[in-house]
Amino acid sequence: MMRITQILVIVLLVALFSDNVLGASITYNGLKCRDAVNINDPTFSEIPIQSRFQVTEDVGNGIFRLNLTGGLPRFVNDNQNVCIDSDTAIGFSGIPALDGLPRRLSSISAVAYFDGRDLMITVNSIHSDLSAGRGALSTFSTSFILPISNTLILEYNPQGSSFRLKKLIHNRGLVHTSGSTNSLIPFFETVLPFFNNSTRDEPRVLIPVSNIEYILE
């Protein structure tokens, strides 16, 4: 009987996402990270914040476009602490002719796939330290640009109408240019697809120790 009930709940959930998808959202309430950019520091502050994914488009075949506000849970393996990263998870954007300096975003787009049980969400952002400038003797340096990818894998909990975060796959890269107009080699470019805990390492696969539940609204 319990198995039949679970199947019926999943069918109803699929119907919700299929027929009344726009505006549906999942939310997780937590505390803002104390350190804005250190991905290995899940220490939380006393500032409450909400991580919220809202459906903006049903692409079809279980694929949805989402809008993320607030940020994403930050945690490390074997640590109970969880905070919400509202800086690197959403990041910056800017076109010089329109925006001048890159500006911090308040929300960012995401893409999700839902099969009735497992929900997979991918969020791509770019973080900048806005440190670009000129130095002595015609030297120059760009900001440190960090392309960031987060893939969340969640499982639907029919008893609580929520999604439990099972794993998070995190990857961070690095792009930086420096040089001098007086040099025979005018500039040097550093491009690293993987720059997480060390140079040229691999993406991190993180499993939360604490329970992280996104509530369906």
Side-chain angles (χ1 to χ4, degrees):
M1 182 65 180
M2 178 63 69
R3 177 63 177 170
I4 295 175
T5 301
Q6 291 179 351
I7 292 174
L8 288 174
V9 170
I10 290 175
V11 169
L12 289 173
L13 184 64
V14 174
L16 169 66
F17 270 79
S18 299
D19 299 332
N20 191 28
V21 62
L22 295 182
S25 64
I26 57 173
T27 60
Y28 169 72
N29 294 309
L31 297 172
K32 189 174 182 177
C33 294
R34 181 172 295 174
D35 190 314
V37 297
N38 185 357
I39 60 175
N40 292 311
D41 185 2
T43 306
F44 47 82
S45 66
E46 297 182 357
I47 303 173
I49 192 170
Q50 183 181 77
S51 173
R52 184 171 188 260
F53 289 100
Q54 183 173 21
V55 179
T56 59
E57 181 183 355
D58 181 355
V59 179
N61 298 316
I63 299 176
F64 303 91
R65 296 192 189 280
L66 312 175
N67 184 62
L68 169 65
T69 55
L72 292 175
R74 178 196 290 172
F75 55 91
V76 294
N77 288 332
D78 302 322
N79 191 321
Q80 293 280 354
N81 287 346
V82 180
C83 62
I84 293 182
D85 174 5
S86 61
D87 289 88
T88 69
I90 295 180
F92 290 75
S93 177
I95 300 174
L98 300 177
D99 307 303
L101 291 175
R103 57 187 176 85
R104 189 183 303 276
L105 297 175
S106 59
S107 66
I108 196 168
S109 298
V111 177
Y113 172 74
F114 180 58
D115 65 3
R117 177 181 177 182
D118 291 323
L119 176 64
M120 181 178 293
I121 303 175
T122 297
V123 185
N124 296 308
S125 60
I126 293 181
H127 186 270
S128 170
D129 65 356
L130 301 180
S131 63
R134 292 185 177 274
L137 302 177
S138 301
T139 60
F140 67 90
S141 176
T142 66
S143 301
F144 285 87
I145 306 297
L146 303 174
I148 296 170
S149 173
N150 287 291
T151 300
L152 294 78
I153 301 173
L154 306 100
E155 181 180 29
Y156 178 60
N157 173 18
Q159 284 76 29
S161 296
S162 62
F163 290 85
R164 179 179 64 87
L165 181 61
K166 297 194 300 181
K167 294 180 181 179
L168 189 150
I169 302 171
H170 174 92
N171 186 59
R172 182 181 64 175
L174 171 65
V175 180
H176 182 256
T177 301
S178 62
S180 172
T181 57
N182 292 330
S183 174
L184 293 176
I185 302 176
F187 60 86
F188 295 93
E189 288 186 320
T190 300
V191 180
L192 295 174
F194 309 108
F195 181 64
N196 296 291
N197 293 321
S198 61
T199 302
R200 297 180 180 177
D201 58 1
E202 297 296 327
R204 303 188 306 161
V205 180
L206 303 172
I207 300 174
V209 178
S210 301
N211 187 45
I212 300 176
E213 295 272 348
Y214 275 83
I215 305 301
L216 177 65
E217 297 179 344

